[in-house]
Amino acid sequence: MSPGRRVAVDVALAAAISLALAVLVLGPLLALLDRGWFISDMLTHYLGSQTWSVIDNTVTTHYGYPFGMDNNYFSVGDYSYALFTHGVEQLTGSPFVGVNLAILLSFPVAAALAIPILRMARLRGPIAVALAVVIALLPFHWVRALH
C-alpha cells in the first residue's frame, strides 16, 4: 500500500473509531440535538451561534433581561468553529444544533488531525490509530471551542 493511501486509511479509521465512541457516550443526547445539552458557560456558545458575524455580534434583547446580552464581550478565537455553528444555525433555525454537532464532530476531527502529527513522531499503523483515538477522547481539544 502506498504511503499516502496508508495515511488516508489511518485517518479514516481513527476518525471512525473516535466518532463511534463519541456516539456511544453521547448517544442519549443525540435525540435532543435541537436542545441545549449543557447549561451555564455554554449559554454564550449557544447565543454566539445565533448572533455571530465576521465583524461583530449582533446585540439581542432576547437573552439577558432586561437590557439584553452583548456577545461582543465574549471573544471568539476560533472562526472555523463560529462559522460552522452559525452556518448550521442559519440552516436549521436552532442555535443548539450547530454547537451540539460541533461537540460531536470534534472527536473525529481531533483524531484525524492527530494522525499526521503522530506520523511526524514516526508512529504508524495500529499504534498511531490507537493513540489518535486516545488523544481525541481527551478533553483538551475543547479548549479553543468550548469552556
Side-chain angles (χ1 to χ4, degrees), residues 7 11 111-121:
V7 171
V11 165
L113 294 175
I115 291 291
I117 303 301
L118 292 169
R119 288 183 67 84
M120 286 183 208

Side-chain angles (χ1 to χ4, degrees), residues 26-41:
L26 299 173
L29 293 174
L30 293 179
L32 306 171
L33 198 60
D34 63 340
R35 295 192 181 104
W37 286 354
F38 308 105
I39 57 173
S40 186
D41 289 348

Side-chain angles (χ1 to χ4, degrees), residues 3 6 16 18 22 36 40 49-50 57 59 64 67 81 96 100 108 112 128 138:
R6 182 70 221 170
S18 64
S40 186
S49 72
Q50 198 171 36
N57 294 297
V59 179
F67 302 112
Y81 165 77
F96 304 113
N100 294 342
L138 296 174

Side-chain angles (χ1 to χ4, degrees), residues 26 33 37 42 45 49 80-82 84-86 88 96-110 141-142 145-146:
L26 299 173
L33 198 60
W37 286 354
M42 288 300 296
H45 293 279
S49 72
S80 58
Y81 165 77
F84 175 80
T85 58
H86 182 68
V88 173
F96 304 113
V97 175
V99 175
N100 294 342
L101 275 177
I103 291 168
L104 180 65
L105 296 177
S106 68
F107 293 99
V109 169
H141 73 265
W142 289 353
L146 307 173

Side-chain angles (χ1 to χ4, degrees), residues 41-53 55-61 63 67-76 81-82 85:
D41 289 348
M42 288 300 296
L43 177 62
T44 60
H45 293 279
Y46 292 132
L47 175 63
S49 72
Q50 198 171 36
T51 62
W52 182 82
S53 72
I55 297 175
D56 64 353
N57 294 297
T58 56
V59 179
T60 177
T61 57
Y63 303 100
F67 302 112
M69 184 173 181
D70 187 351
N71 223 27
N72 289 306
Y73 294 117
F74 300 95
S75 64
V76 175
Y81 165 77
T85 58

